[in-house]
Amino acid sequence: MPLADADHELVVAELGREPTTAEEHLFENLWSEHCAYRSSRALLTAFESEGEYVEIGPGDDAAVVRVPGSETLLTFGIESHNHPSFVDPYDGAATGVGGIVRDTLSMGAYPIALADSLYFGDFDREHSRYLLDGVVEGIADYGNAIGVPTVAGSVAFHDSYEGNPLVNVACVGRTTPERLVTAEAKEAGNRLVLLGNATGRDGLGGASFASEDLAEDAETEDRPAVQVGDPYSEKLLIECNEALLDEGLIEAARDLGAAGLGGASSELVAKGGVGAEIDLEAVHQREPGMNAMEILLAESQERMCYEVRPENVDRVTELANRFDLGCSDIGEVTEGNYVCRFEGETVVDTPAEFLADGAPLNDLPRTPLPAPERDLPEFELQEAADAVLADPTAASKEWVYRQYDHEVGLRTATPPGDDAAVLNLHETDAAIALSSGANPNWTSCDPEAGARAIAVENATNLAAKGATPLAAVDCLNGGNPEDPETYDGFVAAVDGLAEGCADLSTPVVGGNVSLYNDSANGPVAPTPTLAMVGVRGPPAEDATEDSREIPHTPPATVTGAGELLLVEPAAHVAGSANASDDPDALGGSLLLSQVGGSDLFPGLPAEPEALVEALTHVADLRSTRATHDVSDGGLAVTLAEMVTADAGVAAAVESVASLFSEAPGRVVVETTDAAAVRDAVGNAAAVASLGEATEDGTLSLTVGDESLRYEAETVSELRATLENGLE
């Protein structure tokens, strides 16, 4: 994708000459949508990124937040690898994991957890199953090999992803103030050191490739733009990075991702307000005859660019050799331009800030889509319930997560498949919880209200496990922004997510934007993936021994010993001008995706922050036996998921709408003390009795004057959609 004429003119005006071939390609990639966020950067100001515990917000390789009451710092980042995962699902997904892990290393942190949110076309299509199989295998093989547990995430299926799957991966790392590093070059005279795998020709033009629609022949024609990962080198890089930090050898760091060495080195010095002189021939290479453009823009994996004091270069080289990693002293930080030389010629000479941040922004038109109408079809309850329980989005994801090593590192405190993952921070008395996902049905129905609901949903996942939201990162996926209707949906989703997080007082500290997720099948649904981290600490100082204990995490399945309550918002509001304030509205539900029809999006919590706080109190009660968030498929799926072979559910709801509505901010609680639950939530939430947990391993539902009954084995069979379709 060549540099646009208007951009070319800007470059010529700045340089006072025609750009060299290397400069032309460098500007093409760094000024691409993927790197420069030309259609979205102005929208990102809607997010509140500051907070009491935020140390570093947007703009670095990863954000940094402090764990309350301690010196422990968490790094938090997310990235997409969408186009590569369509062309080569295995390597595309694997290198997405590698990239976000190296973003963590760049901040001086050790990666402790991964979360992946995956989106595919209809599961009944063979190609969707092929992509799912390859993506999950790529994530599993890479994450397991590097020893970082994949503990959370989501998998959704929607017809808009048929020609363009989405692969979004988040990573949490741990560090301390003394080890913290940033991507801001510190001082002229320092050296730039390239450490890691040798540079080849893989991934050439990857940033440019990710900034245009996928063509029908992308799986063959765009294969060279996909990187190839080596997790064993990544593991060595992780440990080498730790050794460098132990000795205080890193002044600044940036991982080599989009636009390769040219992107990482120019952004590093631009952020520090300095320049660089780089000898491209000094770069260790694995292929002969590489030219300047290839060395600059190849996106070969498992590479880091470090700023190092001159007197420390030899020691950095020694440590790289210890870990059997390549290491090249490639240049110097300067006070001047960003300059690259190759074979005796200057092939790049441009102001670093102009290269890294000079791309002009796009001002694009918007055309809103009409609001959905209420058009509810007639259907048979049993058939509808069976279909929703078996829907691949709501079905069991055991086939996915059983391929991931979720216990490596010995931090994981909850089994996979729960609302959120809980990880112990052995360095403190606290634990953290992690949730990640989006819902394309919600944002297809109403981009703004659906995105606000995604924020509430992730916060509710954390609260159901007793965690208070600390910070979030987002991965904003959309179609071709040059289409006014597509762009309007994307903008509405961005605004909705920003509003939702602000309502929760949860800062959005970083993220990623991925546009041009568009194929011959059309644009993807607006997909604002949100990853949210929360904290569980010891009991408050005024908590009594009778009411709370050092954090226990209630499971998502019933024990058979308590009453079932629904804790839900005390009041609801419409999430957008086109949405309803009725929590029983069915817009965006899996029910309507199965039986047809349409409706407005349901009401959102009027006071979400107070609601989430109340839910954490409920989860911490000694009398709470189980908690499970209500989401995909509504209460029908939530109650089914709470049933085991040894314990069941007997519950009643007023109507079919109550059973299948996916209004966010609701948690089913099994408790031995209903009064304690009501006291814990006060006026912040409403509490309704659903029924009781039983010891017979069945799901018995009364819906108005109708009834449903499932044995635990039948529930498992219905929910085995992925396993049955893939094995």
Side-chain angles (χ1 to χ4, degrees):
M1 190 170 69
L3 193 63
D5 290 344
D7 292 345
H8 181 88
E9 292 174 4
L10 286 174
V11 171
V12 170
E14 176 69 25
L15 301 183
R17 57 174 170 80
E18 285 291 324
T20 66
T21 299
E23 287 171 336
E24 183 90 15
H25 287 284
L26 198 54
F27 276 103
E28 171 199 332
N29 278 266
L30 284 172
W31 284 19
S32 66
E33 185 67 52
H34 185 73
C35 290
Y37 293 178
R38 301 176 64 157
S39 302
S40 62
R41 198 190 317 169
L43 307 177
L44 304 183
T45 58
F47 290 100
E48 176 56 60
S49 59
E50 297 181 354
E52 181 179 359
Y53 302 108
V54 178
E55 300 289 330
I56 297 176
D60 225 307
D61 275 357
V64 181
V65 294
R66 179 167 49 86
V67 176
S70 78
E71 290 297 306
T72 296
L73 302 179
L74 300 176
T75 61
F76 199 18
I78 191 169
E79 81 166 30
S80 62
H81 241 221
N82 302 335
H83 283 29
S85 297
F86 175 79
V87 174
D88 181 345
Y90 181 88
D91 281 314
T95 52
V97 173
I100 195 62
V101 167
R102 291 192 304 279
D103 284 342
T104 302
L105 305 186
S106 296
M107 307 305 296
Y110 195 90
I112 62 172
L114 292 164
D116 53 73
S117 290
L118 313 176
Y119 309 87
F120 302 96
D122 289 337
F123 185 71
D124 60 3
R125 294 176 180 263
E126 182 179 357
H127 194 250
S128 297
R129 297 194 298 274
Y130 155 76
L131 292 172
L132 170 64
D133 194 12
V135 165
V136 171
E137 185 181 7
I139 291 170
D141 285 357
Y142 205 101
N144 294 352
I146 64 175
V148 181
T150 302
V151 298
S154 60
V155 183
F157 299 88
H158 190 272
D159 59 6
S160 71
Y161 304 121
E162 174 58 28
N164 198 134
L166 303 181
V167 175
N168 299 170
V169 184
C171 184
V172 177
R174 180 196 59 80
T175 189
T176 60
E178 308 82 53
R179 299 170 75 85
L180 184 62
V181 176
T182 70
E184 181 176 322
K186 299 297 187 294
E187 185 178 346
N190 285 341
R191 304 300 297 176
L192 293 176
V193 175
L194 180 63
L195 192 151
N197 271 349
T199 298
R201 290 186 171 92
D202 53 317
L204 272 173
S208 179
F209 159 64
S211 302
E212 57 186 347
D213 295 345
L214 282 171
E216 291 189 60
D217 59 358
E219 288 175 287
T220 55
E221 293 301 311
D222 291 321
R223 183 62 187 82
V226 178
Q227 309 91 337
V228 178
D230 177 2
Y232 302 103
S233 291
E234 182 97 347
K235 178 59 176 174
L236 294 171
L237 192 58
I238 292 171
E239 301 307 326
C240 183
N241 196 72
E242 284 291 290
L244 295 171
L245 292 166
D246 287 343
E247 298 189 24
L249 299 174
I250 302 172
E251 303 301 314
R254 192 129 203 164
D255 94 289
L256 273 69
L261 174 61
S265 58
S266 64
E267 290 169 350
L268 181 74
V269 296
K271 195 170 176 64
V274 290
E277 291 190 3
I278 295 175
D279 177 7
L280 295 178
E281 291 176 273
V283 172
H284 53 289
Q285 303 162 42
R286 70 167 184 265
E287 297 187 36
M290 293 184 70
N291 61 38
M293 183 272 291
E294 292 171 330
I295 296 170
L296 274 169
L297 292 176
E299 295 182 10
S300 303
Q301 298 293 284
E302 294 85 39
R303 300 181 299 162
M304 300 286 292
C305 182
Y306 294 120
E307 179 190 12
V308 177
R309 291 188 178 278
E311 63 269 24
N312 292 331
V313 171
D314 288 345
R315 180 55 180 161
V316 170
T317 303
E318 289 175 8
L319 289 173
N321 290 337
R322 178 196 296 177
F323 289 95
D324 199 23
L325 294 168
C327 185
S328 303
D329 180 352
I330 62 170
E332 184 177 20
V333 179
T334 69
E335 296 286 359
N337 277 357
Y338 176 76
V339 178
C340 299
R341 295 188 172 89
F342 182 71
E343 295 182 345
E345 295 184 6
T346 298
V347 293
V348 176
D349 187 352
T350 176
E353 187 174 2
F354 179 68
L355 176 61
D357 300 315
L361 301 186
N362 296 331
D363 184 10
L364 300 173
R366 298 171 55 183
T367 302
L369 288 169
E373 297 180 355
R374 188 174 182 85
D375 179 18
L376 301 179
E378 294 183 1
F379 54 87
E380 199 275 324
L381 177 61
Q382 184 72 60
E383 292 179 358
D386 290 354
V388 169
L389 291 178
D391 186 291
T393 293
S396 170
K397 301 305 184 299
E398 183 179 358
W399 180 89
V400 175
Y401 59 67
R402 76 184 180 203
Q403 299 184 54
Y404 302 151
D405 186 342
H406 66 277
E407 294 182 327
V408 62
L410 302 178
R411 295 180 183 274
T412 313
T414 51
D418 211 323
D419 294 327
V422 177
L423 297 99
N424 292 316
L425 295 177
H426 303 311
E427 305 81 4
T428 75
D429 292 332
I432 62 171
L434 180 62
S435 173
S436 175
N439 191 315
N441 286 313
W442 292 1
T443 46
S444 290
C445 172
D446 189 315
E448 181 182 354
R452 290 182 66 179
I454 287 167
V456 175
E457 162 67 11
N458 278 281
T460 304
N461 283 338
L462 301 182
K465 302 298 117 176
T468 300
L470 179 64
V473 292
D474 56 39
C475 195
L476 305 172
N477 306 272
N480 187 330
E482 297 165 45
D483 176 74
E485 289 184 348
T486 299
Y487 189 58
D488 184 79
F490 175 77
V491 173
V494 172
D495 289 344
L497 194 68
E499 293 162 1
C501 291
D503 289 344
L504 292 160
S505 296
T506 301
V508 179
V509 293
N512 173 263
V513 180
S514 175
L515 296 176
Y516 291 94
N517 292 293
D518 212 312
S519 68
N521 297 288
V524 301
T527 311
T529 298
L530 191 70
M532 189 176 288
V533 65
V535 176
R536 294 205 61 169
E541 294 181 2
D542 59 351
T544 65
E545 186 63 25
D546 291 336
S547 64
R548 299 183 70 189
E549 60 182 359
I550 295 293
H552 80 107
T553 303
T557 54
V558 294
T559 65
E563 182 180 353
L564 293 178
L565 304 176
L566 179 65
V567 181
E568 58 187 339
H572 293 83
V573 296
S576 76
N578 294 330
S580 173
D581 61 1
D582 179 3
D584 284 344
L586 293 169
S589 66
L590 287 183
L591 173 70
L592 294 190
S593 75
Q594 287 290 339
V595 303
S598 62
D599 198 0
L600 302 181
F601 194 77
L604 304 181
E607 299 290 342
E609 185 177 8
L611 171 68
V612 166
E613 182 179 2
L615 291 171
T616 63
H617 295 331
V618 172
D620 283 346
L621 290 172
R622 188 183 299 275
S623 53
T624 294
R625 294 291 180 261
T627 54
H628 194 14
D629 160 75
V630 181
S631 181
D632 295 317
L635 280 169
V637 170
T638 298
L639 294 172
E641 289 176 333
M642 298 184 80
V643 172
T644 70
D646 301 317
V649 164
V653 297
E654 293 182 357
S655 65
V656 169
S658 299
L659 182 65
F660 292 112
S661 168
E662 298 179 14
R666 298 179 295 159
V667 172
V668 174
V669 178
E670 180 192 15
T671 179
T672 56
D673 188 347
V677 173
R678 291 184 168 88
D679 288 343
V681 303
N683 296 324
V687 180
S689 178
L690 286 174
E692 62 182 6
T694 66
E695 297 180 351
D696 61 1
T698 63
L699 172 63
S700 300
L701 296 175
T702 301
V703 185
D705 56 2
E706 298 183 79
S707 63
L708 297 168
R709 182 179 176 85
Y710 297 91
E711 299 296 328
E713 183 178 0
T714 304
V715 172
S716 296
E717 290 172 353
L718 283 169
R719 302 192 67 247
T721 304
L722 270 63
E723 183 173 1
N724 293 338
L726 291 161
E727 295 185 347

